[in-house]
PDB file of all heavy atoms in Angstrom:
ATOM      1  N   ARG Z 103       0.419 -60.600 -30.356  1.00 98.00           N
ATOM      2  CA  ARG Z 103       1.553 -59.832 -29.871  1.00 98.00           C
ATOM      3  C   ARG Z 103       1.686 -58.457 -30.557  1.00 98.00           C
ATOM      4  O   ARG Z 103       2.533 -57.643 -30.169  1.00 98.00           O
ATOM      5  CB  ARG Z 103       2.869 -60.566 -30.093  1.00 98.00           C
ATOM      6  CG  ARG Z 103       2.956 -61.908 -29.361  1.00 98.00           C
ATOM      7  CD  ARG Z 103       4.238 -62.657 -29.762  1.00 98.00           C
ATOM      8  NE  ARG Z 103       4.362 -62.811 -31.167  1.00 98.00           N
ATOM      9  CZ  ARG Z 103       5.443 -62.595 -31.876  1.00 98.00           C
ATOM     10  NH1 ARG Z 103       6.587 -62.314 -31.258  1.00 98.00           N
ATOM     11  NH2 ARG Z 103       5.451 -62.749 -33.218  1.00 98.00           N
ATOM     12  N   ALA Z 104       0.897 -58.216 -31.585  1.00 98.00           N
ATOM     13  CA  ALA Z 104       1.134 -57.037 -32.455  1.00 98.00           C
ATOM     14  C   ALA Z 104       0.997 -55.732 -31.728  1.00 98.00           C
ATOM     15  O   ALA Z 104       0.116 -55.558 -30.868  1.00 98.00           O
ATOM     16  CB  ALA Z 104       0.178 -57.087 -33.641  1.00 98.00           C
ATOM     17  N   ASP Z 105       1.832 -54.775 -32.094  1.00 98.00           N
ATOM     18  CA  ASP Z 105       1.708 -53.382 -31.621  1.00 98.00           C
ATOM     19  C   ASP Z 105       0.823 -52.555 -32.533  1.00 98.00           C
ATOM     20  O   ASP Z 105       0.330 -51.517 -32.142  1.00 98.00           O
ATOM     21  CB  ASP Z 105       3.134 -52.766 -31.581  1.00 98.00           C
ATOM     22  CG  ASP Z 105       4.039 -53.463 -30.568  1.00 98.00           C
ATOM     23  OD1 ASP Z 105       3.743 -53.485 -29.394  1.00 98.00           O
ATOM     24  OD2 ASP Z 105       5.073 -54.052 -31.050  1.00 98.00           O
ATOM     25  N   PHE Z 106       0.673 -53.004 -33.801  1.00 98.00           N
ATOM     26  CA  PHE Z 106      -0.190 -52.365 -34.748  1.00 98.00           C
ATOM     27  C   PHE Z 106      -0.666 -53.377 -35.757  1.00 98.00           C
ATOM     28  O   PHE Z 106      -0.047 -54.382 -35.989  1.00 98.00           O
ATOM     29  CB  PHE Z 106       0.500 -51.196 -35.448  1.00 98.00           C
ATOM     30  CG  PHE Z 106       1.653 -51.588 -36.351  1.00 98.00           C
ATOM     31  CD1 PHE Z 106       1.433 -51.884 -37.692  1.00 98.00           C
ATOM     32  CD2 PHE Z 106       2.934 -51.702 -35.846  1.00 98.00           C
ATOM     33  CE1 PHE Z 106       2.503 -52.258 -38.520  1.00 98.00           C
ATOM     34  CE2 PHE Z 106       3.982 -52.116 -36.639  1.00 98.00           C
ATOM     35  CZ  PHE Z 106       3.770 -52.413 -37.987  1.00 98.00           C
ATOM     36  N   VAL Z 107      -1.836 -53.066 -36.347  1.00 98.00           N
ATOM     37  CA  VAL Z 107      -2.418 -53.933 -37.365  1.00 98.00           C
ATOM     38  C   VAL Z 107      -2.718 -53.096 -38.613  1.00 98.00           C
ATOM     39  O   VAL Z 107      -3.507 -52.134 -38.511  1.00 98.00           O
ATOM     40  CB  VAL Z 107      -3.677 -54.653 -36.904  1.00 98.00           C
ATOM     41  CG1 VAL Z 107      -4.235 -55.579 -37.982  1.00 98.00           C
ATOM     42  CG2 VAL Z 107      -3.445 -55.449 -35.619  1.00 98.00           C
ATOM     43  N   THR Z 108      -2.081 -53.395 -39.691  1.00 98.00           N
ATOM     44  CA  THR Z 108      -2.409 -52.787 -40.976  1.00 98.00           C
ATOM     45  C   THR Z 108      -3.746 -53.387 -41.413  1.00 98.00           C
ATOM     46  O   THR Z 108      -3.800 -54.550 -41.835  1.00 98.00           O
ATOM     47  CB  THR Z 108      -1.322 -53.037 -42.023  1.00 98.00           C
ATOM     48  OG1 THR Z 108      -0.066 -52.505 -41.519  1.00 98.00           O
ATOM     49  CG2 THR Z 108      -1.651 -52.391 -43.370  1.00 98.00           C
ATOM     50  N   THR Z 109      -4.814 -52.642 -41.266  1.00 98.00           N
ATOM     51  CA  THR Z 109      -6.142 -53.187 -41.344  1.00 98.00           C
ATOM     52  C   THR Z 109      -6.860 -52.789 -42.630  1.00 98.00           C
ATOM     53  O   THR Z 109      -6.915 -51.604 -42.968  1.00 98.00           O
ATOM     54  CB  THR Z 109      -6.996 -52.685 -40.146  1.00 98.00           C
ATOM     55  OG1 THR Z 109      -6.288 -53.032 -38.921  1.00 98.00           O
ATOM     56  CG2 THR Z 109      -8.349 -53.337 -40.101  1.00 98.00           C
ATOM     57  N   ALA Z 110      -7.425 -53.794 -43.310  1.00 97.00           N
ATOM     58  CA  ALA Z 110      -8.230 -53.553 -44.511  1.00 97.00           C
ATOM     59  C   ALA Z 110      -9.648 -53.245 -44.054  1.00 97.00           C
ATOM     60  O   ALA Z 110     -10.301 -53.997 -43.298  1.00 97.00           O
ATOM     61  CB  ALA Z 110      -8.213 -54.719 -45.429  1.00 97.00           C
ATOM     62  N   VAL Z 111     -10.178 -52.097 -44.521  1.00 97.00           N
ATOM     63  CA  VAL Z 111     -11.537 -51.669 -44.103  1.00 97.00           C
ATOM     64  C   VAL Z 111     -12.289 -51.211 -45.351  1.00 97.00           C
ATOM     65  O   VAL Z 111     -11.737 -50.868 -46.355  1.00 97.00           O
ATOM     66  CB  VAL Z 111     -11.402 -50.502 -43.085  1.00 97.00           C
ATOM     67  CG1 VAL Z 111     -10.778 -50.929 -41.785  1.00 97.00           C
ATOM     68  CG2 VAL Z 111     -10.673 -49.307 -43.706  1.00 97.00           C
ATOM     69  N   ARG Z 112     -13.624 -51.142 -45.165  1.00 97.00           N
ATOM     70  CA  ARG Z 112     -14.468 -50.594 -46.204  1.00 97.00           C
ATOM     71  C   ARG Z 112     -14.772 -49.130 -45.926  1.00 97.00           C
ATOM     72  O   ARG Z 112     -15.334 -48.798 -44.915  1.00 97.00           O
ATOM     73  CB  ARG Z 112     -15.778 -51.411 -46.321  1.00 97.00           C
ATOM     74  CG  ARG Z 112     -16.606 -50.937 -47.496  1.00 97.00           C
ATOM     75  CD  ARG Z 112     -17.674 -51.948 -47.902  1.00 97.00           C
ATOM     76  NE  ARG Z 112     -17.087 -53.250 -48.274  1.00 97.00           N
ATOM     77  CZ  ARG Z 112     -16.464 -53.459 -49.431  1.00 97.00           C
ATOM     78  NH1 ARG Z 112     -16.362 -52.519 -50.341  1.00 97.00           N
ATOM     79  NH2 ARG Z 112     -15.936 -54.648 -49.664  1.00 97.00           N
ATOM     80  N   THR Z 113     -14.317 -48.273 -46.800  1.00 97.00           N
ATOM     81  CA  THR Z 113     -14.588 -46.835 -46.730  1.00 97.00           C
ATOM     82  C   THR Z 113     -15.497 -46.333 -47.814  1.00 97.00           C
ATOM     83  O   THR Z 113     -15.857 -45.148 -47.814  1.00 97.00           O
ATOM     84  CB  THR Z 113     -13.219 -46.065 -46.771  1.00 97.00           C
ATOM     85  OG1 THR Z 113     -12.478 -46.520 -47.917  1.00 97.00           O
ATOM     86  CG2 THR Z 113     -12.428 -46.259 -45.490  1.00 97.00           C
ATOM     87  N   GLY Z 114     -15.837 -47.175 -48.792  1.00 95.00           N
ATOM     88  CA  GLY Z 114     -16.632 -46.762 -49.910  1.00 95.00           C
ATOM     89  C   GLY Z 114     -17.668 -47.813 -50.303  1.00 95.00           C
ATOM     90  O   GLY Z 114     -18.165 -48.567 -49.494  1.00 95.00           O
ATOM     91  N   GLU Z 115     -17.899 -47.869 -51.610  1.00 92.00           N
ATOM     92  CA  GLU Z 115     -18.920 -48.739 -52.155  1.00 92.00           C
ATOM     93  C   GLU Z 115     -18.540 -50.222 -51.967  1.00 92.00           C
ATOM     94  O   GLU Z 115     -17.447 -50.582 -51.595  1.00 92.00           O
ATOM     95  CB  GLU Z 115     -19.086 -48.463 -53.641  1.00 92.00           C
ATOM     96  CG  GLU Z 115     -17.792 -48.723 -54.412  1.00 92.00           C
ATOM     97  CD  GLU Z 115     -17.892 -48.295 -55.899  1.00 92.00           C
ATOM     98  OE1 GLU Z 115     -17.970 -47.068 -56.133  1.00 92.00           O
ATOM     99  OE2 GLU Z 115     -17.923 -49.188 -56.764  1.00 92.00           O
ATOM    100  N   ALA Z 116     -19.548 -51.086 -52.218  1.00 91.00           N
ATOM    101  CA  ALA Z 116     -19.322 -52.522 -52.178  1.00 91.00           C
ATOM    102  C   ALA Z 116     -18.312 -52.944 -53.214  1.00 91.00           C
ATOM    103  O   ALA Z 116     -18.190 -52.313 -54.270  1.00 91.00           O
ATOM    104  CB  ALA Z 116     -20.637 -53.259 -52.376  1.00 91.00           C
ATOM    105  N   GLY Z 117     -17.577 -54.027 -52.954  1.00 89.00           N
ATOM    106  CA  GLY Z 117     -16.627 -54.554 -53.930  1.00 89.00           C
ATOM    107  C   GLY Z 117     -15.258 -54.010 -53.681  1.00 89.00           C
ATOM    108  O   GLY Z 117     -14.939 -53.279 -52.763  1.00 89.00           O
ATOM    109  N   ALA Z 118     -14.357 -54.298 -54.678  1.00 90.00           N
ATOM    110  CA  ALA Z 118     -12.944 -53.978 -54.586  1.00 90.00           C
ATOM    111  C   ALA Z 118     -12.670 -52.483 -54.549  1.00 90.00           C
ATOM    112  O   ALA Z 118     -11.692 -52.039 -53.981  1.00 90.00           O
ATOM    113  CB  ALA Z 118     -12.202 -54.626 -55.720  1.00 90.00           C
ATOM    114  N   HIS Z 119     -13.520 -51.668 -55.158  1.00 93.00           N
ATOM    115  CA  HIS Z 119     -13.254 -50.232 -55.287  1.00 93.00           C
ATOM    116  C   HIS Z 119     -13.507 -49.416 -53.983  1.00 93.00           C
ATOM    117  O   HIS Z 119     -13.187 -48.256 -53.963  1.00 93.00           O
ATOM    118  CB  HIS Z 119     -14.063 -49.645 -56.410  1.00 93.00           C
ATOM    119  CG  HIS Z 119     -13.831 -50.295 -57.726  1.00 93.00           C
ATOM    120  ND1 HIS Z 119     -12.617 -50.138 -58.440  1.00 93.00           N
ATOM    121  CD2 HIS Z 119     -14.613 -51.112 -58.504  1.00 93.00           C
ATOM    122  CE1 HIS Z 119     -12.715 -50.844 -59.545  1.00 93.00           C
ATOM    123  NE2 HIS Z 119     -13.888 -51.446 -59.627  1.00 93.00           N
ATOM    124  N   GLY Z 120     -14.004 -50.085 -52.955  1.00 96.00           N
ATOM    125  CA  GLY Z 120     -14.350 -49.306 -51.758  1.00 96.00           C
ATOM    126  C   GLY Z 120     -13.465 -49.673 -50.542  1.00 96.00           C
ATOM    127  O   GLY Z 120     -13.890 -49.410 -49.415  1.00 96.00           O
ATOM    128  N   LEU Z 121     -12.286 -50.204 -50.757  1.00 97.00           N
ATOM    129  CA  LEU Z 121     -11.455 -50.652 -49.636  1.00 97.00           C
ATOM    130  C   LEU Z 121     -10.276 -49.714 -49.411  1.00 97.00           C
ATOM    131  O   LEU Z 121      -9.754 -49.117 -50.359  1.00 97.00           O
ATOM    132  CB  LEU Z 121     -10.952 -52.076 -49.874  1.00 97.00           C
ATOM    133  CG  LEU Z 121     -11.966 -53.176 -50.108  1.00 97.00           C
ATOM    134  CD1 LEU Z 121     -11.285 -54.513 -50.271  1.00 97.00           C
ATOM    135  CD2 LEU Z 121     -13.028 -53.182 -49.029  1.00 97.00           C
ATOM    136  N   SER Z 122      -9.918 -49.562 -48.138  1.00 98.00           N
ATOM    137  CA  SER Z 122      -8.728 -48.799 -47.760  1.00 98.00           C
ATOM    138  C   SER Z 122      -7.912 -49.548 -46.742  1.00 98.00           C
ATOM    139  O   SER Z 122      -8.366 -50.555 -46.134  1.00 98.00           O
ATOM    140  CB  SER Z 122      -9.190 -47.432 -47.147  1.00 98.00           C
ATOM    141  OG  SER Z 122      -9.920 -46.652 -48.078  1.00 98.00           O
ATOM    142  N   LEU Z 123      -6.670 -49.106 -46.537  1.00 98.00           N
ATOM    143  CA  LEU Z 123      -5.789 -49.645 -45.531  1.00 98.00           C
ATOM    144  C   LEU Z 123      -5.514 -48.561 -44.485  1.00 98.00           C
ATOM    145  O   LEU Z 123      -5.114 -47.447 -44.833  1.00 98.00           O
ATOM    146  CB  LEU Z 123      -4.503 -50.143 -46.146  1.00 98.00           C
ATOM    147  CG  LEU Z 123      -4.543 -51.404 -46.981  1.00 98.00           C
ATOM    148  CD1 LEU Z 123      -3.180 -51.660 -47.647  1.00 98.00           C
ATOM    149  CD2 LEU Z 123      -4.944 -52.581 -46.119  1.00 98.00           C
ATOM    150  N   ILE Z 124      -5.728 -48.941 -43.234  1.00 98.00           N
ATOM    151  CA  ILE Z 124      -5.504 -47.988 -42.117  1.00 98.00           C
ATOM    152  C   ILE Z 124      -4.707 -48.698 -41.033  1.00 98.00           C
ATOM    153  O   ILE Z 124      -4.929 -49.868 -40.697  1.00 98.00           O
ATOM    154  CB  ILE Z 124      -6.860 -47.513 -41.510  1.00 98.00           C
ATOM    155  CG1 ILE Z 124      -7.671 -46.750 -42.541  1.00 98.00           C
ATOM    156  CG2 ILE Z 124      -6.624 -46.664 -40.255  1.00 98.00           C
ATOM    157  CD1 ILE Z 124      -9.049 -46.312 -42.062  1.00 98.00           C
ATOM    158  N   VAL Z 125      -3.654 -48.025 -40.525  1.00 98.00           N
ATOM    159  CA  VAL Z 125      -2.848 -48.576 -39.462  1.00 98.00           C
ATOM    160  C   VAL Z 125      -3.513 -48.360 -38.104  1.00 98.00           C
ATOM    161  O   VAL Z 125      -3.764 -47.186 -37.747  1.00 98.00           O
ATOM    162  CB  VAL Z 125      -1.451 -47.910 -39.481  1.00 98.00           C
ATOM    163  CG1 VAL Z 125      -0.553 -48.586 -38.401  1.00 98.00           C
ATOM    164  CG2 VAL Z 125      -0.789 -48.037 -40.852  1.00 98.00           C
ATOM    165  N   VAL Z 126      -3.783 -49.451 -37.407  1.00 98.00           N
ATOM    166  CA  VAL Z 126      -4.482 -49.347 -36.143  1.00 98.00           C
ATOM    167  C   VAL Z 126      -3.534 -49.777 -35.000  1.00 98.00           C
ATOM    168  O   VAL Z 126      -3.189 -50.944 -34.910  1.00 98.00           O
ATOM    169  CB  VAL Z 126      -5.724 -50.247 -36.146  1.00 98.00           C
ATOM    170  CG1 VAL Z 126      -6.431 -50.165 -34.765  1.00 98.00           C
ATOM    171  CG2 VAL Z 126      -6.681 -49.860 -37.282  1.00 98.00           C
ATOM    172  N   PRO Z 127      -3.133 -48.871 -34.104  1.00 98.00           N
ATOM    173  CA  PRO Z 127      -2.356 -49.246 -32.959  1.00 98.00           C
ATOM    174  C   PRO Z 127      -3.216 -50.159 -32.059  1.00 98.00           C
ATOM    175  O   PRO Z 127      -4.399 -49.868 -31.827  1.00 98.00           O
ATOM    176  CB  PRO Z 127      -2.004 -47.931 -32.279  1.00 98.00           C
ATOM    177  CG  PRO Z 127      -2.282 -46.870 -33.296  1.00 98.00           C
ATOM    178  CD  PRO Z 127      -3.360 -47.393 -34.179  1.00 98.00           C
ATOM    179  N   THR Z 128      -2.585 -51.191 -31.529  1.00 98.00           N
ATOM    180  CA  THR Z 128      -3.416 -52.155 -30.779  1.00 98.00           C
ATOM    181  C   THR Z 128      -3.757 -51.692 -29.340  1.00 98.00           C
ATOM    182  O   THR Z 128      -4.547 -52.333 -28.685  1.00 98.00           O
ATOM    183  CB  THR Z 128      -2.675 -53.510 -30.674  1.00 98.00           C
ATOM    184  OG1 THR Z 128      -1.365 -53.332 -30.090  1.00 98.00           O
ATOM    185  CG2 THR Z 128      -2.542 -54.132 -32.053  1.00 98.00           C
ATOM    186  N   ASP Z 129      -3.218 -50.547 -28.923  1.00 98.00           N
ATOM    187  CA  ASP Z 129      -3.599 -49.981 -27.650  1.00 98.00           C
ATOM    188  C   ASP Z 129      -4.768 -49.000 -27.787  1.00 98.00           C
ATOM    189  O   ASP Z 129      -5.104 -48.306 -26.830  1.00 98.00           O
ATOM    190  CB  ASP Z 129      -2.424 -49.371 -26.912  1.00 98.00           C
ATOM    191  CG  ASP Z 129      -1.780 -48.230 -27.695  1.00 98.00           C
ATOM    192  OD1 ASP Z 129      -2.207 -47.922 -28.834  1.00 98.00           O
ATOM    193  OD2 ASP Z 129      -0.817 -47.632 -27.162  1.00 98.00           O
ATOM    194  N   THR Z 130      -5.361 -48.883 -28.964  1.00 98.00           N
ATOM    195  CA  THR Z 130      -6.450 -47.977 -29.209  1.00 98.00           C
ATOM    196  C   THR Z 130      -7.696 -48.490 -28.477  1.00 98.00           C
ATOM    197  O   THR Z 130      -8.039 -49.672 -28.635  1.00 98.00           O
ATOM    198  CB  THR Z 130      -6.751 -47.821 -30.682  1.00 98.00           C
ATOM    199  OG1 THR Z 130      -5.552 -47.453 -31.362  1.00 98.00           O
ATOM    200  CG2 THR Z 130      -7.824 -46.757 -30.923  1.00 98.00           C
ATOM    201  N   PRO Z 131      -8.437 -47.660 -27.730  1.00 98.00           N
ATOM    202  CA  PRO Z 131      -9.649 -48.094 -27.090  1.00 98.00           C
ATOM    203  C   PRO Z 131     -10.638 -48.709 -28.123  1.00 98.00           C
ATOM    204  O   PRO Z 131     -10.816 -48.135 -29.184  1.00 98.00           O
ATOM    205  CB  PRO Z 131     -10.224 -46.808 -26.472  1.00 98.00           C
ATOM    206  CG  PRO Z 131      -9.009 -45.979 -26.225  1.00 98.00           C
ATOM    207  CD  PRO Z 131      -8.103 -46.235 -27.378  1.00 98.00           C
ATOM    208  N   GLY Z 132     -11.228 -49.845 -27.760  1.00 98.00           N
ATOM    209  CA  GLY Z 132     -12.215 -50.452 -28.641  1.00 98.00           C
ATOM    210  C   GLY Z 132     -11.566 -51.599 -29.429  1.00 98.00           C
ATOM    211  O   GLY Z 132     -12.310 -52.426 -30.001  1.00 98.00           O
ATOM    212  N   PHE Z 133     -10.250 -51.630 -29.530  1.00 98.00           N
ATOM    213  CA  PHE Z 133      -9.587 -52.750 -30.199  1.00 98.00           C
ATOM    214  C   PHE Z 133      -9.318 -53.840 -29.166  1.00 98.00           C
ATOM    215  O   PHE Z 133      -8.777 -53.605 -28.102  1.00 98.00           O
ATOM    216  CB  PHE Z 133      -8.252 -52.288 -30.817  1.00 98.00           C
ATOM    217  CG  PHE Z 133      -7.446 -53.401 -31.423  1.00 98.00           C
ATOM    218  CD1 PHE Z 133      -7.614 -53.667 -32.786  1.00 98.00           C
ATOM    219  CD2 PHE Z 133      -6.572 -54.202 -30.663  1.00 98.00           C
ATOM    220  CE1 PHE Z 133      -6.903 -54.713 -33.368  1.00 98.00           C
ATOM    221  CE2 PHE Z 133      -5.866 -55.206 -31.267  1.00 98.00           C
ATOM    222  CZ  PHE Z 133      -6.039 -55.486 -32.603  1.00 98.00           C
TER     223      PHE Z 133
END
């Protein structure tokens, strides 16, 4: 039912130091 998903993604190196959080609206193409 979500209108958005606060999504954990990898934007950098492997491991904990390369993660970011991005808000993804669920009506975005490809989701």
Side-chain angles (χ1 to χ4, degrees):
R103 301 175 304 137
D105 299 296
F106 65 91
V107 181
T108 301
T109 305
V111 296
R112 185 162 300 285
T113 49
E115 62 186 69
H119 301 291
L121 304 183
S122 298
L123 287 174
I124 297 176
V125 183
V126 179
T128 57
D129 61 357
T130 306
F133 176 91

